[in-house]
Amino acid sequence: MDLRADFLVIGSGIAGLRAALSLAEAGEVVILTKSDPGESNTGYAQGGIAAAIGADDSPELHARDTIAAGDGLCVPEAVDRLVHDGPRDVRELLDWGAAFDRDADGRPSLGREAAHSVRRVLHARDATGREITRLLWARVSACARIRLLDDAGATELSIEDGACTGVRFVRGAVDVGTATARRTLLATGGAGQVFRETTNPAVATGDGIAMAARAGARLTDLEFVQFHPTVLNVEGAPRFLLSEALRGEGARLVNEAGEAFMTRDDPAGDLAPRDVVARAIVREVERTGTPVYLTLAHLDADFVTRRFPTIARACAHAGFNLARDRIPVSPAAHYLMGGVATDLDARTSIPGLFAAGEVACTGVHGANRLASNSLLEGLVFGARAAAAMKAAPQPAALMVGELIDVRLPGRASAAVPTAYEVRDLMWRSVGLLRIARGLEAASAQLDAWLAACEAAGGARRCDAELRRTTTLVTVGWFIARAALRRHESRGAHFRADFPARDDLHWSKHVSDVLHT
Ligand SMILES: Cc1cc2nc3c(=O)[nH]c(=O)nc-3n(C[C@H](O)[C@H](O)[C@H](O)COP(=O)(O)OP(=O)(O)OC[C@H]3O[C@@H](n4cnc5c(N)ncnc54)[C@H](O)[C@@H]3O)c2cc1C
């Protein structure tokens, strides 16, 4: 199957759908998405979307909180765009009919989340992503100039004379096709599946990062992986996210003895930044040898079940009453701050190739993302990507920061691993607490596995399992290398052997470019 369009969008989350709606004003659009259209990180987002629309808020205050969470590594111009375009783009969603919760006076009700200094999170109960997906999907479906192909996984970027001209893709196991366009947008989302414990759905394997890397695009800041502190920790049950909005509404973290331990680690207590809370949980579990819990028993039970119906249902399914019981929690990989390097208009280092949303790295989140800023990022930079893609041809983006040339490892010295082996290694050695010896061993193992995957045909083969494993190994390989070389702790990247932030040497972004 060979498809042609003016614009090609890979992925149907908030970034891809928002971009497609604007692109359709200027030409024919094809969206490829590798599963059902609604299967994306966006579809699972709970807490909400941040925007400075409250009477006590301003873009400047939102920028200040974003930059504080980013721990010295946010790109100020990117933050500026996020917080200034954000209110306009969120109001557009409201105009389109987004069913966000409202106060008694009819204004959008604003939730509080960790490290936000005011209430600024618009939400649709605790299933905000589902509502945004419904809304955008309804508009995309009604647009005659947009064609969406589901179950269509892009496997490789097509590059001619140094520029991107589209992708190769598979449908099911056999149907290999090409999609050709003047401009291509990667909106493939994150890579949580690289880790054994994750909040991300099965589609989040970092495909866009792996494809862009193989085409020679610049990748940046891949060491910065956010681990969410609170997922349901029940043996054998999925790692269901227990949104930060719970703590925003008063939920507390307690140990087995019922002590609220968070104030020992940070004056902000339960509303400290995610990395601080996640590490405090790990330390408390190590200290006591018993689990850590989230409790809402001191809050009004009616309010809890009305405000968090989806989470209450998931807890009930696992045998817990959210309003009454202590819920066992632990951290899990949640969000990738790094990604395909882009400028403020989503241009990558390859002409014709754009990237927006979680797959991209504009530097807007720095070393740590502020809660509820990623839906906003997808919305704002999805729209900005579309504007740039519609404009006259432009050169590839110019980007700053240190650049490292990397090569694929040599001869295969190991068998092709299972996906579980890769995810387990990443969780144990490249997870929340990192140290040189673990990172070195993991990098060596990933070298061997990547060589084995390449020798077996890698991501280009029609074998779905091999493709998935190769992608996980490739993305894990980049993350481990980046984590090993950053000799400091900053934001979500914590090195037990370099526990302090080192602004003298590491106040910088580092990029990789792969030469095959
Ligand atoms: C459980 C959970 C809760 C969250 N809660 C919040 C929240 O409350 N607020 C907030 O701001 N953020 C939240 N986040 C993060 C946020 O949801 C994501 O960062 C954001 O939705 C990413 O949007 P995106 O459009 O970039 O990617 P996604 O929404 O992940 O979409 C990626 C799309 O690309 C497709 N795709 C992937 N690979 C390929 C391929 N090879 N070929 C074709 N298609 C492909 C996928 O199928 C999917 O359709 C949450 C994330 C999770 C997992």
Side-chain angles (χ1 to χ4, degrees), residues 38 145 165 176 269 360 387 481:
R145 284 176 124 179
T165 56
V176 181
R481 293 171 63 97

Side-chain angles (χ1 to χ4, degrees), residues 175-471:
D175 188 0
V176 181
T178 58
T180 309
R182 289 194 285 124
R183 309 267 197 280
T184 299
L185 175 67
L186 282 176
T188 47
Q193 286 289 326
V194 170
F195 296 87
R196 190 189 71 208
E197 308 295 330
T198 183
T199 62
N200 290 193
V203 290
T205 44
D207 299 13
I209 293 168
M211 285 188 284
R214 281 168 199 284
R218 184 169 176 153
L219 309 178
T220 297
D221 288 353
L222 283 176
E223 61 272 43
F224 296 111
V225 179
Q226 184 171 78
F227 296 88
H228 198 288
T230 54
V231 301
L232 189 59
N233 179 20
V234 175
E235 189 73 34
R239 294 294 181 246
F240 189 83
L241 179 74
L242 299 175
S243 166
E244 199 142 32
L246 292 164
R247 279 174 286 127
E249 298 295 353
R252 281 203 303 262
L253 283 160
V254 293
N255 60 20
E256 186 76 44
E259 293 160 353
F261 57 89
M262 268 313 301
T263 35
R264 281 207 304 266
D265 281 77
D266 195 291
D270 291 306
L271 289 180
R274 287 185 174 171
D275 59 301
V276 174
V277 180
R279 284 194 296 274
I281 290 175
V282 170
R283 286 199 198 99
E284 191 65 8
V285 169
E286 274 172 12
R287 190 182 74 79
T288 61
T290 53
V292 154
Y293 304 89
L294 202 57
T295 176
L296 290 82
H298 53 289
L299 302 179
D300 176 65
D302 275 354
F303 167 74
V304 169
T305 40
R306 251 187 299 111
R307 172 75 173 84
F308 302 109
T310 314
I311 299 175
R313 262 196 309 278
C315 288
H317 196 67
F320 297 95
N321 180 324
L322 176 67
R324 207 183 50 217
D325 297 336
R326 296 190 313 182
I327 316 289
V329 293
S330 62
H334 185 56
Y335 183 85
L336 185 59
M337 271 74 71
V340 180
T342 69
D343 66 7
L344 300 187
D345 295 314
R347 289 181 300 168
T348 71
S349 58
I350 297 182
L353 180 68
F354 297 73
E358 195 168 340
V359 65
C361 180
T362 57
V364 76
H365 306 299
N368 207 4
R369 173 182 70 104
L370 186 65
S372 291
N373 264 359
S374 46
L375 287 174
L376 188 67
E377 177 196 24
L379 190 68
V380 165
F381 287 95
R384 293 184 68 81
M389 290 167 77
K390 289 190 280 189
Q394 295 152 353
L398 289 173
M399 281 163 243
V400 292
E402 190 174 317
L403 194 59
I404 296 182
D405 288 327
V406 292
R407 295 195 179 274
L408 286 173
R411 284 157 55 100
S413 58
V416 172
T418 62
Y420 180 85
E421 284 176 309
V422 181
R423 303 176 66 220
D424 186 51
L425 176 75
M426 290 298 292
W427 178 249
R428 284 187 289 103
S429 302
V430 196
L432 198 52
L433 304 176
R434 298 165 169 173
I435 193 161
R437 63 170 190 276
L439 291 168
E440 278 159 6
S443 291
Q445 182 65 79
L446 288 159
D447 267 0
W449 281 343
L450 187 51
C453 289
E454 289 297 314
R460 296 172 185 88
R461 283 271 298 273
C462 251
D463 173 342
E465 195 49 45
L466 177 61
R467 242 191 0 257
R468 177 177 157 85
T469 306
T470 304
T471 299

Side-chain angles (χ1 to χ4, degrees), residues 23-76:
L23 290 170
E25 293 162 6
E28 300 292 326
V29 182
V30 165
I31 304 178
L32 300 183
T33 191
K34 78 173 178 184
S35 178
D36 297 333
E39 195 57 15
S40 62
N41 276 0
T42 300
Y44 290 87
Q46 295 178 352
I49 181 163
I53 64 165
D56 59 349
D57 204 358
S58 67
E60 288 67 33
L61 197 53
H62 190 182
R64 207 179 68 192
D65 291 346
T66 301
I67 286 169
D71 210 3
L73 222 55
C74 288
V75 171

